[in-house]
């Protein structure tokens, strides 16, 4: 296909049905309001959309599922490009790789890989878009074994600011390939990725719940276990205030509960006995504290892992916060539970310590701009935004928790877990930022993707991207709003 034979795409604006479909997001508390929007499936349609944005002087903002909409910059004067998959996930079982069209959600990859006895470094939700998760690092349910999910990316196909389709891998444009994997965005619209898979025979996965009164002993035992935990086990311990809604067992909705979720990996049939022993080493001491209210931990096929964390499957309005923490002692546990446990009055539905370390902490010599996380735990928290007062209470409590956890705050963040645009963010060193910016200057010299760059990931447009919505401090003019049209 030549540059003059691009397909027609529908560019829509607010009030038109295609606009509503293109701008739908998973986080209902963080709607996006671009100047115009388009849904694309093929690389040709992406090229047409990019060229339209250039001709109409609009910034370009890629989007898939909208799980991260609360951390996105305002989209005034932007064309939102929503990617939906052009075809199925393609598995090369012999090479242990998958080719994944942009717009694909993780559930499709999990099912396709499992049919061949393989698994991918996916996260806790089957509804999250593959591309955004990967390029923001990706903390997998198998993360302590696989490392950051970005390290599993083998190639990226994308349309850059000149409207051309390019491929970046270890041989073809390796510097762009490096920057794409965790560099903070601002390079183009991805049309497909190729990722590495790994063999898996079975998993032991699930969730166990206890009354929050047992929180101090449960957290203390779990923290001690994490210090020498095997890399084939990845877990999270949470305090949850579950709403009384369909799908939530009634015994879990009367007040705060402590929940252990996670995955024990058995890559081969021979590993199954060891996996069972590892699971017992984790669960036995916790079950000895008190009988769980509900315990679903069991041997399962890999697709079960995507549901074990109990992430919502339908769009919800949420607000929250995220930190990367250093190792916690008893004082850290006490601080966490004082603000989030029994009697805390926390408005948060979920407050979680996700276990890191293992391969997540190891530098990958073939990795990208972000290849490891130097922290012991990822803290994430969120509450349901039912009205402005609820949102204010959530934000106030998150601020209190952030302040109390300051002694253990590493000052770094994981882009894939960032909950809001205005929270402190840092995932790249100054040298890495400078190196990534050199790639941006080459692939996007006019800066049409500049507003897609994560805070702290570039020094090129810091003043402009923080300017009030509707101002164009670098361009000298306003971007023109695109009417709905056929190109």
């Amino acid at each position: 296909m030549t540059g003059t034979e691009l397909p027609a795409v529908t560019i829509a604006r607010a009030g038109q049905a295609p606009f509503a479909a293109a701008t739908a997001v998973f986080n209902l508390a963080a709607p996006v309001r671009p100047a115009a929007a388009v849904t694309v499936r093929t690389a040709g349609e992406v090229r047409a959309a990019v060229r339209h944005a250039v001709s109409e002087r609009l910034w370009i903002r890629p989007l898939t599922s909208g799980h991260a909409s609360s951390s996105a910059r305002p989209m005034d004067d932007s064309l939102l490009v929503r990617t939906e998959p052009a075809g199925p996930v393609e598995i090369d079982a012999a090479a242990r790789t998958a080719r994944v069209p942009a717009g694909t959600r993780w559930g499709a990859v999990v099912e396709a890989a499992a049919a061949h006895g393989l698994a991918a470094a996916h996260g806790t939700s089957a509804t999250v878009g593959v591309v955004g998760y990967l390029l923001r690092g990706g903390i997998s349910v198998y993360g302590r074994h696989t490392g950051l999910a970005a390290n599993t990316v083998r190639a990226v196909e994308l349309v850059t600011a000149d409207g051309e389709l390019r491929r970046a891998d270890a041989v073809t444009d390796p510097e762009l390939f490096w920057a794409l994997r965790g560099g903070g965005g601002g390079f183009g619209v991805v049309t497909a990725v190729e990722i590495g898979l790994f063999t898996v025979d079975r998993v032991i996965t699930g969730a166990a719940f206890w009354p929050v009164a047992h929180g101090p002993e449960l957290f203390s035992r779990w923290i001690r276990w994490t210090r020498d935990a095997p890399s084939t086990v990845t877990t999270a311990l949470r305090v949850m205030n579950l709403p009384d809604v369909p799908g939530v067992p009634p015994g879990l909705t009367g007040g705060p509960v402590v929940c252990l979720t996670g995955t024990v990996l058995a890559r081969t049939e021979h590993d199954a006995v060891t996996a069972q022993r590892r699971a017992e080493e984790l669960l036995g001491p916790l079950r000895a504290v008190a009988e769980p209210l509900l315990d679903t931990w069991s041997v399962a096929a890999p697709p079960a892992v995507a549901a074990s964390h109990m992430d919502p499957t339908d769009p919800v309005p949420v607000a929250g916060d995220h930190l990367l923490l250093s190792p916690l002692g008893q004082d850290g546990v006490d601080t966490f539970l004082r603000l989030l446990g029994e009697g805390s009055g926390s408005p948060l539905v979920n407050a979680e310590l996700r276990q890191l370390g293992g391969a997540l902490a190891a530098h990958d010599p073939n990795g990208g701009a972000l290849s490891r996380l130097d922290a012991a735990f990822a803290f994430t928290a969120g509450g349901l935004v039912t009205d402005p007062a609820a949102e204010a209470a959530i934000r106030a409590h998150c601020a209190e928790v952030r302040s109390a956890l300051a002694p253990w705050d590493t000052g770094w963040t994981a882009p894939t877990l960032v909950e809001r645009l205005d929270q402190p963010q840092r995932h790249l060193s100054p040298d890495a930022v400078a190196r990534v910016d050199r790639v941006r200057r080459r692939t996007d010299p006019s800066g049409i993707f500049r507003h897609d760059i994560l805070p702290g990931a570039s020094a090129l447009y810091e003043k402009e991207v923080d300017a009030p919505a509707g101002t164009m401090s670098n361009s000298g003019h306003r971007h023109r709003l695109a009417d709905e049209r056929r190109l």
Side-chain angles (χ1 to χ4, degrees):
M1 179 178 290
T2 68
T4 59
E5 299 173 336
L6 297 178
V9 293
T10 299
I11 307 295
R13 62 180 178 180
Q16 299 167 332
F19 183 93
T23 58
V25 295
F26 195 87
N27 186 351
L28 299 178
V32 293
R33 299 182 177 89
V38 59
T39 298
V40 295
R41 294 181 180 274
T42 68
E45 290 172 351
V46 175
R47 294 180 64 209
V50 169
R51 294 195 175 196
H52 173 85
V54 171
S55 70
E56 293 293 324
R57 303 180 186 275
L58 294 168
W59 310 123
I60 301 176
R61 304 296 297 277
L63 179 97
T64 298
S65 66
H67 278 74
S69 61
S70 61
S71 64
R73 298 183 189 277
M75 296 190 182
D76 305 76
D77 299 321
S78 296
L79 173 64
L80 182 149
V81 180
R82 186 186 194 94
T83 52
E84 293 292 346
V89 177
E90 300 173 10
I91 303 294
D92 185 333
R96 298 179 184 171
T97 60
R99 186 177 191 277
V100 184
T104 302
R105 276 62 165 179
W106 271 113
V109 180
V110 170
E111 294 292 342
H116 300 274
L118 300 170
H122 64 87
T124 60
S125 172
T127 63
V128 167
V130 171
V131 169
Y133 165 90
L134 287 172
L135 301 191
R136 287 181 174 225
I139 301 177
S140 173
V141 291
Y142 304 107
R144 287 171 43 77
H145 174 74
T146 63
L148 284 177
N151 295 339
T152 71
V153 178
R154 300 290 177 261
V156 180
E157 297 171 13
L158 73 160
V159 174
T160 47
D162 57 5
E164 297 300 321
L165 178 64
R166 306 185 187 280
R167 178 183 172 92
D169 56 33
V171 176
T172 305
D173 205 340
E175 195 67 3
L176 174 58
F177 183 51
W178 174 85
L180 283 163
R181 295 173 294 157
F187 307 102
V189 180
V190 173
T191 61
V193 293
E194 294 177 11
I195 61 173
L197 306 173
F198 57 93
T199 58
V200 58
D201 178 70
R202 68 194 73 178
V203 297
I204 302 173
T205 189
F209 299 84
W210 292 266
V212 74
H214 299 294
E217 187 61 26
L218 290 167
F219 270 86
S220 294
R221 292 190 181 200
W222 179 73
I223 290 288
R224 289 195 297 270
W225 171 84
T226 64
R227 292 169 186 161
D228 299 305
S231 62
T232 53
V233 187
T234 303
T235 63
L237 197 57
R238 316 153 76 183
V239 176
M240 306 186 77
N241 287 283
L242 295 168
D244 186 6
V245 296
V248 178
L252 304 182
T253 60
V257 292
V258 174
C259 174
L260 175 77
T261 57
T263 305
V264 184
L265 174 65
R267 294 196 57 178
T268 67
E269 187 175 357
H270 178 73
D271 295 336
V273 174
T274 301
Q276 193 67 53
R277 185 176 71 250
R278 298 298 193 198
E280 180 56 32
E281 290 170 352
L282 163 66
L283 293 164
L286 302 181
R287 288 168 172 160
V289 173
E291 182 179 354
L293 298 169
L294 177 68
D295 191 341
T296 67
W297 279 82
S298 61
V299 178
V305 176
S308 65
H309 199 260
M310 299 178 61
D311 284 8
T313 56
D314 296 319
V316 290
V318 296
D321 203 2
H322 157 63
L323 301 165
L324 288 180
L325 303 177
S326 59
L328 298 175
Q330 189 59 48
D331 51 347
V333 170
D334 292 344
T335 299
F336 183 90
L337 292 176
R338 176 173 57 83
L339 291 167
L340 299 163
E342 185 176 25
S344 66
S346 169
L348 304 177
V349 171
N350 180 65
E352 173 179 330
L353 292 178
R354 190 174 303 188
Q355 179 190 11
L356 301 179
L360 289 167
H363 171 67
D364 186 337
N366 299 313
L370 177 65
S371 70
R372 63 186 293 265
L373 296 175
D374 188 13
F377 302 100
F379 167 74
T380 61
L384 290 175
V385 178
T386 54
D387 53 43
E391 181 172 13
I394 292 166
R395 292 191 178 277
H397 200 76
C398 284
E400 186 178 359
V401 173
R402 172 178 284 272
S403 177
L405 292 178
W408 300 275
D409 183 2
T410 65
W412 297 89
T413 50
T416 191
L417 297 179
V418 168
E419 294 285 348
R420 66 180 200 272
L421 178 64
D422 62 349
Q423 79 151 87
Q425 297 183 51
R426 182 168 70 120
H427 75 279
L428 298 176
S429 69
D431 287 345
V433 168
R435 184 178 170 186
V436 170
D437 275 344
R438 287 194 292 271
V439 176
R440 291 192 181 101
R441 290 191 191 96
R442 172 168 61 87
T443 60
D444 184 17
S446 63
I448 196 169
F449 290 101
R450 68 186 68 180
H451 291 282
D452 196 46
I453 301 172
L454 300 180
S458 176
L460 293 177
Y461 312 109
E462 286 181 343
K463 292 183 179 179
E464 178 184 348
V465 296
D466 291 330
T471 65
M472 305 296 294
S473 60
N474 243 11
S475 64
H477 56 76
R478 290 287 303 251
H479 277 192
R480 297 193 298 273
L481 176 64
D483 295 329
E484 178 176 310
R485 67 195 65 194
R486 301 291 292 181
L487 292 183

